[in-house]
Amino acid sequence: MFHQLIRILLCICLFVSSLVAAHAAPPVSPATTQTSATVTVFNRPVVEFRAPLLGVPVGERAQRASEVLRRMLATSSSGKVTLQPIPQGISIMLDGVLAFTMVPEDVDPLKQESLEQAAKNAATALELVVRETREARDLKVLMRAAGFVLAATLAFLLLVWLLHRARKWLTFRLASLAHTHAERLSVGGESLMNRERLLQLVRRAVTLVYWALVLFLFYDWLGFTLGRFPYTRPWGERLTQYLLDLIARFGGAIARTIPDLLVAVLIFLIAKFMIDLLKTVFERVEQGKLEIAWLDRDTVSPTRRLISAGIWLFALVMAYPYLPGSGTEAFKGLSVLIGLMVSLGASSLVGQAASGLILMYTRTIRAGEYVQISGHQGTVMELGLFTTRIRTGLGEELTLPNALILGNVSRNYSRTVGDGFILETGVTIGYDTPWRQVHAMLIEAAGRTPGVQSEPAPRVFQTALSDYYPEYRLACQVLRSGPTQRAEVLSALHGNIQDVFNEYGVQIMSPHYLSDPPEAKIVPKEQWYQAPAQKAEN
């Protein structure tokens, strides 16, 4: 493992070194259009020229100064840097020999410094280059630096090994805890998270923390290693400074966003307080302890949702300017993207929500009522914002989109009954059977059926006089006790209808003809009141 890790680290070192070298200041090529050029020696910027001198362009000045300094540093004895004023400006001397000259136009106007201060800064930078050049030629210094690097590498590998051992122990420990306590993460007896899924999540979290620490240690080791040698020391300083600047920027950003974040939190807390205050009012209306003219029990739930959503949206709009990063282009682009996605993909969702609100506020259907919608019959279990759940008498649960309910004719069998619902069924009997007899038989069958209420009494209606038979429909009332009970009562009623018709010798059959019968299919008057029909019904 460690051999692979060492090879990976060496490859990363070479890659980072190449990147830093690529971003280091390259040798300056002469160009007449340049406005400034930096003299870089031994990876150290010494001075920046901003104006031509005696007709020599800026780029050529920098290139000549770099070449002169390299030659002088290769043969320098004492390495003494001095300043010598001249009519054109100030000359920087190395061991009494002219290295380069600075003119007043080379001074950076943004730094608000004089030519003398700029020359002193350049001399200080050149003195540092002189020291590092000598250090690079000192074998003892290089050997001592190599010893420090070796010690740092061993310490780095030791820390990585310790982190690897700690990762194994922590993964085993957390996996044991997750395996032991996974069953406790449940609501209503249902586990919130699968045990294997939880173990996998724990392992990934530990692995992520492990590699984050390894990368941080490697970054620190790389900066320390580059800083031990004179030629790569500027690269190491840049790595360290970059990390420090990053931490400083991150900390400064946090410090700057804390006041705005507190304002945003305060806005959301006020919104939460308003919602809790209104929740108490809505609960009292729902319990019947408070009456409001425009609000009743059926519309309390949707009204509470609408008002809560409105308050949260208003709070979000008010807090938006105070959210961290709300003024950045990335945040604005993300907001536009989310808005575009919602506008393109939520049209049907908005339509379903609007249909749900219409159903709630028009009180078309209510929870607990028995209805028929688009050929589906059942008891309304839940009227939601987007869908409505209906449970049939066979135990099936149907989920109907609210737009489907709003776009179709719905039959409500409970609205006019009070604490029950209407039960209806129909038969088609030939014209040769007295209709009074059919009425009496259907009412007798309803009286034999448990659950059918005697008050109000069952009634029979002739809904159509078809070509071959009249259509009879029996309507009665049943107490509300769930969709399954309605199916049982309807099944028992159908059985009793068959029994009663069999007892009185009447066929439940819809006649059809291929030709006219020899005798008219009529009921003589003396047969109008066949049992169980009674003459009092006339």
Side-chain angles (χ1 to χ4, degrees):
M1 170 186 174
F2 285 104
H3 296 290
Q4 296 177 355
L5 183 61
I6 291 174
R7 286 198 295 268
I8 293 173
L9 293 178
L10 290 176
C11 294
I12 295 176
C13 289
L14 293 175
F15 178 70
V16 174
S17 300
S18 62
L19 287 179
V20 175
H23 287 82
V28 182
S29 59
T32 56
T33 58
Q34 282 185 276
T35 58
S36 64
T38 303
V39 178
T40 302
V41 181
F42 219 67
N43 288 329
R44 291 283 186 187
V46 178
V47 64
E48 184 175 3
F49 296 142
R50 292 181 172 82
L53 177 62
L54 300 177
V56 180
V58 174
E60 188 175 345
R61 283 184 62 196
Q63 185 178 16
R64 290 182 181 181
S66 299
E67 294 174 355
V68 169
L69 286 174
R70 290 190 183 94
R71 289 196 302 269
M72 295 175 67
L73 290 172
T75 59
S76 175
S77 56
S78 63
K80 184 177 180 181
V81 180
T82 57
L83 302 179
Q84 182 177 345
I86 60 174
Q88 293 82 2
I90 298 177
S91 296
I92 288 81
M93 316 292 290
L94 178 60
D95 292 336
V97 180
L98 175 64
F100 55 87
T101 300
M102 295 186 65
V103 296
E105 290 79 6
D106 292 329
V107 179
D108 188 358
L110 299 178
K111 294 182 178 180
Q112 297 182 354
E113 60 183 4
S114 61
L115 178 60
E116 290 76 11
Q117 292 174 335
K120 290 180 180 179
N121 294 335
T124 302
L126 183 57
E127 290 174 351
L128 179 59
V129 171
V130 171
R131 289 196 300 269
E132 289 181 343
T133 304
R134 291 183 175 180
E135 186 179 343
R137 294 196 294 264
D138 192 337
L139 184 60
K140 293 183 179 180
V141 174
L142 295 179
M143 292 299 294
R144 184 165 56 250
F148 282 121
V149 170
L150 179 60
T153 304
L154 294 176
F156 170 70
L157 295 177
L158 178 61
L159 289 175
V160 171
W161 180 78
L162 291 176
L163 284 176
H164 181 69
R165 296 294 298 246
R167 171 194 176 188
K168 286 187 175 181
W169 177 85
L170 188 60
T171 302
F172 175 77
R173 182 62 179 167
L174 292 178
S176 301
L177 292 175
H179 187 273
T180 304
H181 300 284
E183 300 298 333
R184 298 182 181 180
L185 299 175
S186 60
V187 175
E190 294 293 333
S191 179
L192 293 178
M193 185 173 294
N194 183 270
R195 181 178 296 173
E196 295 299 327
R197 185 68 175 175
L198 183 60
L199 294 178
Q200 186 180 9
L201 183 63
V202 169
R203 294 190 186 99
R204 288 183 177 179
V206 174
T207 302
L208 180 63
V209 174
Y210 166 76
W211 282 109
L213 292 176
V214 169
L215 290 177
F216 177 77
L217 290 176
F218 170 74
Y219 190 92
D220 195 30
W221 170 83
L222 183 61
F224 177 83
T225 300
L226 295 177
R228 295 307 95 195
F229 300 96
Y231 188 78
T232 60
R233 188 171 297 156
W235 302 345
E237 292 174 355
R238 291 174 193 171
L239 288 176
T240 304
Q241 189 62 37
Y242 174 77
L243 182 60
L244 294 177
D245 292 343
L246 183 63
I247 295 175
R249 288 198 303 269
F250 186 73
I254 293 177
R256 288 191 299 271
T257 56
I258 285 178
D260 291 341
L261 194 59
L262 291 177
V263 174
V265 171
L266 180 61
I267 293 174
F268 288 124
L269 289 177
I270 294 175
K272 182 66 168 57
F273 173 76
M274 294 296 298
I275 290 176
D276 291 341
L277 184 63
L278 292 174
K279 180 181 178 181
T280 305
V281 177
F282 289 131
E283 288 179 350
R284 291 176 63 85
V285 173
E286 195 170 13
Q287 296 169 1
K289 298 179 181 179
L290 180 65
E291 293 185 1
I292 300 178
W294 54 272
L295 190 64
D296 56 20
R297 295 184 180 182
D298 296 324
T299 57
V300 164
S301 179
T303 304
R304 179 170 56 189
R305 294 177 185 175
L306 287 176
I307 294 179
S308 299
I311 292 176
W312 281 121
L313 288 175
F314 182 75
L316 181 62
V317 172
M318 294 296 295
Y320 179 85
Y322 301 99
L323 296 177
S326 60
T328 60
E329 296 299 328
F331 202 97
K332 295 177 182 177
L334 181 62
S335 302
V336 173
L337 178 62
I338 293 176
L340 184 62
M341 292 172 61
V342 170
S343 61
L344 293 179
S347 57
S348 60
L349 191 67
V350 173
Q352 296 291 348
S355 301
L357 292 176
I358 293 174
L359 292 176
M360 292 175 186
Y361 281 100
T362 57
R363 303 174 182 86
T364 304
I365 57 176
R366 299 173 183 172
E369 293 181 337
Y370 195 89
V371 297
Q372 177 178 347
I373 300 170
S374 186
H376 305 289
Q377 288 189 11
T379 301
V380 179
M381 306 304 298
E382 180 185 1
L383 179 59
L385 187 62
F386 302 103
T387 59
T388 298
R389 292 191 299 110
I390 294 178
R391 185 171 297 170
T392 66
L394 300 178
E396 303 170 329
E397 187 168 286
L398 307 178
T399 301
L400 304 179
N402 287 334
L404 174 68
I405 301 175
L406 194 64
N408 287 272
V409 177
S410 60
R411 294 184 179 181
N412 196 318
Y413 296 97
S414 303
R415 184 62 55 87
T416 59
V417 178
D419 198 25
F421 52 84
I422 296 175
L423 188 68
E424 64 169 354
T425 188
V427 292
T428 54
I429 307 298
Y431 284 103
D432 54 345
T433 303
W435 63 266
R436 295 177 181 84
Q437 184 184 20
V438 176
H439 281 214
M441 288 188 294
L442 290 174
I443 292 175
E444 182 176 338
R448 295 183 184 183
T449 304
V452 175
Q453 300 300 301
S454 58
E455 290 294 335
R459 300 183 62 184
V460 179
F461 303 91
Q462 297 187 45
T463 58
L465 298 177
S466 301
D467 291 340
Y468 306 123
Y469 45 74
E471 298 180 7
Y472 302 91
R473 297 206 65 83
L474 171 65
C476 53
Q477 293 189 14
V478 182
L479 290 178
R480 180 186 304 169
S481 58
T484 304
Q485 190 263 354
R486 185 185 189 278
E488 293 174 353
V489 174
L490 184 61
S491 177
L493 177 61
H494 287 163
N496 289 328
I497 290 174
Q498 295 180 65
D499 291 341
V500 171
F501 274 65
N502 288 330
E503 290 174 6
Y504 292 100
V506 178
Q507 297 183 91
I508 304 179
M509 182 178 294
S510 303
H512 289 263
Y513 298 102
L514 297 178
S515 63
D516 291 333
E519 296 180 359
K521 302 292 288 184
I522 62 174
V523 180
K525 188 172 183 179
E526 60 272 12
Q527 297 181 8
W528 284 3
Y529 298 97
Q530 294 282 354
Q534 299 179 6
K535 198 168 184 177
E537 293 182 355
N538 188 9

